[in-house]
Amino acid sequence: VDAVFTLPSAAGAGMAGVEYEFSCGALSSGTGLSISPNSADAIGGNGLTVVLDKDLINSGASDRLGDYVKLICTGVAGATAWRIVGIIGTWAKES
């Protein structure tokens, strides 16, 4: 199953401390599962390069059932907007 999830703006009211968890529950033969930050935000952590407006992708080429990522919002827009606090599987940043 291919899916794109769009995160809300990190700078929105009450966003600090909001957590989202994403899990691969069905394998993909296509692009896989993508998590898309707001254009003013980035997803960082787990040694990944921090770039604004770039998706975090669990590709259909390497996804496995149970692959997982947990993100927490800092409440501040920009490079530190969303942080990875838990991860299983192969995830990469959009090029």
Side-chain angles (χ1 to χ4, degrees), residues 5-12 15 18 20 22 36-39 41 73 81-82:
F5 296 94
T6 303
L7 298 170
S9 171
M15 288 302 298
V18 169
Y20 287 103
F22 301 90
S36 183
N38 181 278
S39 62
D41 296 336
C73 184
W82 293 94

Side-chain angles (χ1 to χ4, degrees), residues 5 10-11 14-15 19-21 25 30 35-36 39 46 50 52-53 60-61 69 73 75 77 83 86 90-92:
F5 296 94
M15 288 302 298
E19 297 178 353
Y20 287 103
E21 296 181 27
I35 304 165
S36 183
S39 62
N46 198 52
V50 176
L52 294 179
D53 197 23
V69 68
C73 184
R83 307 302 303 163
T90 302
W91 294 79

Side-chain angles (χ1 to χ4, degrees), residues 24 31 33 46 48 56-64 66-69 87-93:
C24 179
T31 56
L33 187 154
N46 198 52
L48 296 172
L56 181 62
I57 302 169
N58 182 228
S59 168
S62 62
D63 64 354
R64 300 290 178 260
D67 284 356
Y68 158 91
V69 68
I87 195 165
I88 296 171
T90 302
W91 294 79
K93 287 306 261 310

